[in-house]
Amino acid sequence: MPRRLHGLSGRLLWLTVAFVMFAEVLIFIPSISVMRTTWLRDRLDTAAAAGIVIDGLQPAELPREVQDDTLLATGTKVLALRKDGTSRLLAAIDVPPQVDDQYDLANEGAVNAMQNALDTLLLGGGKVMRVFGPIGETDMIIELVMTDDALRKAMISFSKLMFGISLLISMVTAGLIYVSINRMMISPIRRLTHGMQRFSDRPEDPDRIFQPGRAKGELEVAGQHLAAMQMELQRTLKQQKNLADLGLAVSKINHDMRNILASAQLMSDRLVDVEDPMVRSFAPKLLRTIDRAVGYTNEVLAYGQASEAAPRRRLLKLADLCQDVREMLAIDPEGTIGFVEQIAEDLEVDADGEQLFRVIHNLCRNAVQALSQAEPGEDGQAHRISLSAQRVGSVVSIIIDDNGPGMPQKARENLFTAFRGAARSGGTGLGLAIARELVLAHGGTIALVEKPGRGTQFRIEIPDRPVSLESYRARA
């Protein structure tokens, strides 16, 4: 047997055959009942015609030979006519001693007719039955006494014919449904399955992406979604590969970088002893920067492997932190980029200082890179980065704004996604991805704000930590 007949289409074929045959069985019972009633009615009509002729010959009596021929023509043993309230025997041969069943065709309901038909077909044979019914529109009634052998034989022949026709109809119907469903459903499903299997063998190969059809049916729509899912999976795999390559590259340089920074840290410690005022003013900032770099090398592999360390939160002055960001950016005061801070000196934020520094520094550094490559605006305004903040209740809102060219549409669509949300050529998008992860670790939010003019604006919201009942009572 072909392999397809064992699959979904094969099961559908056999189920169709079974269901059509079941429907034919339901139709067969009323059909065999109608066939039985018609057969008996034909016998009564033939007997009625003969009975009226015989009755018209009265008072003469039919010869025995004529009676036998009449009964043989009607297939009966006894022929009687009921007229004007009296019943008269017209012809008889081999009168049976008893009658097994009686059928009044005039008053036989549909249910009784089906029951009687099944009884004759399944249990009949050799039974004597009495059948009677009216003659046309008259009040005369014709009665027959006969065996059910001829009727049962006719019913069996009719059943065989019905079975053959039903089987032919079911096979033709099932074949048409099989071909139609196989073309409209099974073949596309098989194509989808083959596409998934082919893609799973080499998911990194762009040629293995499923090519959906152009029709608008449900399976074609499923194929389009499958193709979109495979393309998204390829992008994710590529991103994961980039992350793995990045982790491998960083792990190779991390060991040597820590040694170099450790040496720089030791040499920088000696700058504190130098008497030069210029050196003394820069030494603490240099030491703080190197210490921060050493800390980064110890935690740099956290991204891409698990997650950033939990923030060690404390109340800190946001203005001092932003001043460190400005110094780290090393913006030339005489250059083309201005840096404006609008933060109150007493504004405090409940955050991890190092992590919040990384967030603000990443966003400001992106702004500096965008402005350094951009032309001045049409209105002749100089490039500017604005850093402002305010507290509203228990939430500190930090705004980082610039008047640069703004973010490209592709970067907006993949915002905060590593390797896909880069705003400039050659970028990785890691800065925004890291910033978002750090802000979310504080229970805050970071979003790109739509603005009417040129430039890019990010809003960071950092909520204070919830105060426990024990801490509240201790303060009270």
Side-chain angles (χ1 to χ4, degrees):
M1 184 176 293
R3 181 181 178 181
R4 290 187 177 182
L5 296 183
H6 292 284
L8 178 61
S9 55
R11 292 195 294 269
L12 180 63
L13 175 65
W14 300 125
L15 282 176
T16 303
V17 173
F19 290 156
V20 172
M21 290 300 296
F22 178 73
E24 292 293 341
V25 169
L26 297 180
I27 297 174
F28 169 75
I29 296 176
S31 299
I32 195 70
S33 173
V34 172
M35 176 266 167
R36 166 187 169 275
T37 302
T38 302
W39 191 90
L40 292 176
R41 176 61 64 184
D42 291 342
R43 293 299 182 275
L44 284 181
D45 291 342
T46 303
I52 292 175
V53 173
I54 296 174
D55 183 64
L57 297 177
Q58 299 298 325
E61 182 177 353
L62 285 179
R64 179 77 262 171
E65 183 178 355
V66 176
Q67 293 186 27
D68 294 342
D69 293 341
T70 302
L71 295 175
L72 181 63
T74 57
T76 61
K77 295 182 178 297
V78 177
L79 174 62
L81 179 67
R82 189 182 305 172
K83 181 179 178 183
D84 298 330
T86 61
S87 181
R88 180 167 178 266
L89 182 65
L90 300 180
I93 183 175
D94 297 332
V95 178
Q98 64 178 11
V99 174
D100 298 312
D101 298 308
Q102 299 189 46
Y103 303 118
D104 182 4
L105 297 186
N107 299 313
E108 189 178 44
V111 176
N112 290 333
M114 288 187 286
Q115 291 177 347
N116 295 333
L118 291 177
D119 180 71
T120 301
L121 179 63
L122 301 177
L123 305 176
K127 290 184 178 181
V128 177
M129 58 182 179
R130 175 173 172 260
V131 184
F132 55 93
I135 300 176
E137 300 296 332
T138 67
D139 57 354
M140 293 185 295
I141 297 176
I142 192 71
E143 298 182 15
L144 300 177
V145 176
M146 57 191 301
T147 62
D148 63 353
D149 294 331
L151 173 60
R152 186 168 183 269
K153 182 178 179 180
M155 293 175 69
I156 292 175
S157 299
F158 178 81
S159 300
K160 292 179 179 179
L161 178 63
M162 284 288 295
F163 177 79
I165 295 175
S166 301
L167 184 60
L168 178 62
I169 292 175
S170 64
M171 294 302 296
V172 172
T173 304
L176 293 175
I177 293 178
Y178 172 80
V179 173
S180 302
I181 296 299
N182 193 67
R183 181 174 180 179
M184 293 187 299
M185 182 181 296
I186 304 303
S187 293
I189 291 178
R190 190 177 293 115
R191 185 167 174 264
L192 283 173
T193 304
H194 177 70
M196 289 186 286
Q197 292 174 343
R198 186 170 178 268
F199 180 80
S200 63
D201 293 336
R202 293 177 59 186
E204 72 282 354
D205 187 359
D207 294 334
R208 298 294 181 103
I209 294 179
F210 182 77
Q211 299 297 326
R214 296 183 179 180
K216 299 299 182 182
E218 290 81 358
L219 292 176
E220 285 74 14
V221 173
Q224 295 170 4
H225 286 293
L226 174 62
M229 181 182 65
Q230 290 178 345
M231 288 188 290
E232 182 65 26
L233 179 58
Q234 277 195 351
R235 285 194 291 265
T236 302
L237 291 175
K238 184 178 180 180
Q239 176 181 343
Q240 295 298 326
K241 184 178 183 300
N242 290 338
L243 285 174
D245 294 341
L246 176 64
L248 179 60
V250 171
S251 65
K252 290 179 179 180
I253 68 174
N254 192 46
H255 178 267
D256 294 337
M257 183 62 70
R258 281 185 297 180
N259 293 336
I260 295 172
L261 289 175
S263 300
Q265 192 174 30
L266 291 175
M267 290 185 290
S268 299
D269 289 339
R270 300 178 182 178
L271 294 177
V272 181
D273 300 329
V274 177
E275 298 297 334
D276 189 301
M278 180 77 67
V279 174
R280 281 182 173 274
S281 64
F282 281 106
K285 299 177 182 179
L286 180 60
L287 289 174
R288 192 162 56 249
T289 302
I290 293 177
D291 290 340
R292 184 174 286 124
V294 172
Y296 288 171
T297 59
N298 292 330
E299 298 179 0
V300 69
L301 291 180
Y303 186 83
Q305 290 185 351
S307 61
E308 294 285 348
R312 296 183 288 271
R313 305 180 69 164
R314 62 183 179 86
L315 286 174
L316 53 92
K317 288 189 176 182
L318 185 59
D320 295 341
L321 186 144
C322 292
Q323 182 63 31
D324 290 343
V325 171
R326 180 172 186 171
E327 293 173 354
M328 179 67 74
L329 293 174
I331 298 176
D332 186 1
E334 303 297 330
T336 60
I337 300 176
F339 192 95
V340 180
E341 297 178 48
Q342 298 175 345
I343 301 175
E345 291 292 336
D346 59 347
L347 180 58
E348 291 184 330
V349 60
D350 184 10
D352 184 314
E354 289 298 323
Q355 292 188 359
L356 186 57
F357 173 87
R358 293 171 63 187
V359 173
I360 299 176
H361 179 262
N362 280 336
L363 296 176
C364 291
R365 184 185 58 190
N366 288 346
V368 171
Q369 292 173 347
L371 291 173
S372 63
Q373 300 175 3
E375 297 293 335
E378 296 179 357
D379 53 2
Q381 290 185 355
H383 295 320
R384 175 183 52 80
I385 300 174
S386 175
L387 187 58
S388 60
Q390 63 176 347
R391 173 177 284 276
V392 180
S394 61
V395 177
V396 174
S397 178
I398 305 171
I399 302 296
I400 302 172
D401 188 20
D402 67 68
N403 60 349
M407 298 190 70
Q409 183 61 32
K410 182 178 180 182
R412 289 172 176 266
E413 295 174 354
N414 300 282
L415 200 62
F416 306 120
T417 303
F419 302 108
R420 294 173 60 188
R424 60 185 176 85
S425 177
T428 63
L430 283 172
L432 290 178
I434 294 173
R436 179 177 182 272
E437 183 177 354
L438 295 175
V439 171
L440 292 179
H442 284 77
T445 60
I446 178 172
L448 176 66
V449 180
E450 296 293 338
K451 51 184 296 187
R454 298 175 71 246
T456 304
Q457 183 180 116
F458 282 94
R459 182 177 63 245
I460 303 169
E461 294 179 342
I462 303 294
D464 295 342
R465 287 170 294 175
V467 179
S468 64
L469 185 59
E470 291 76 8
S471 301
Y472 173 78
R473 289 175 176 173
R475 293 179 182 178

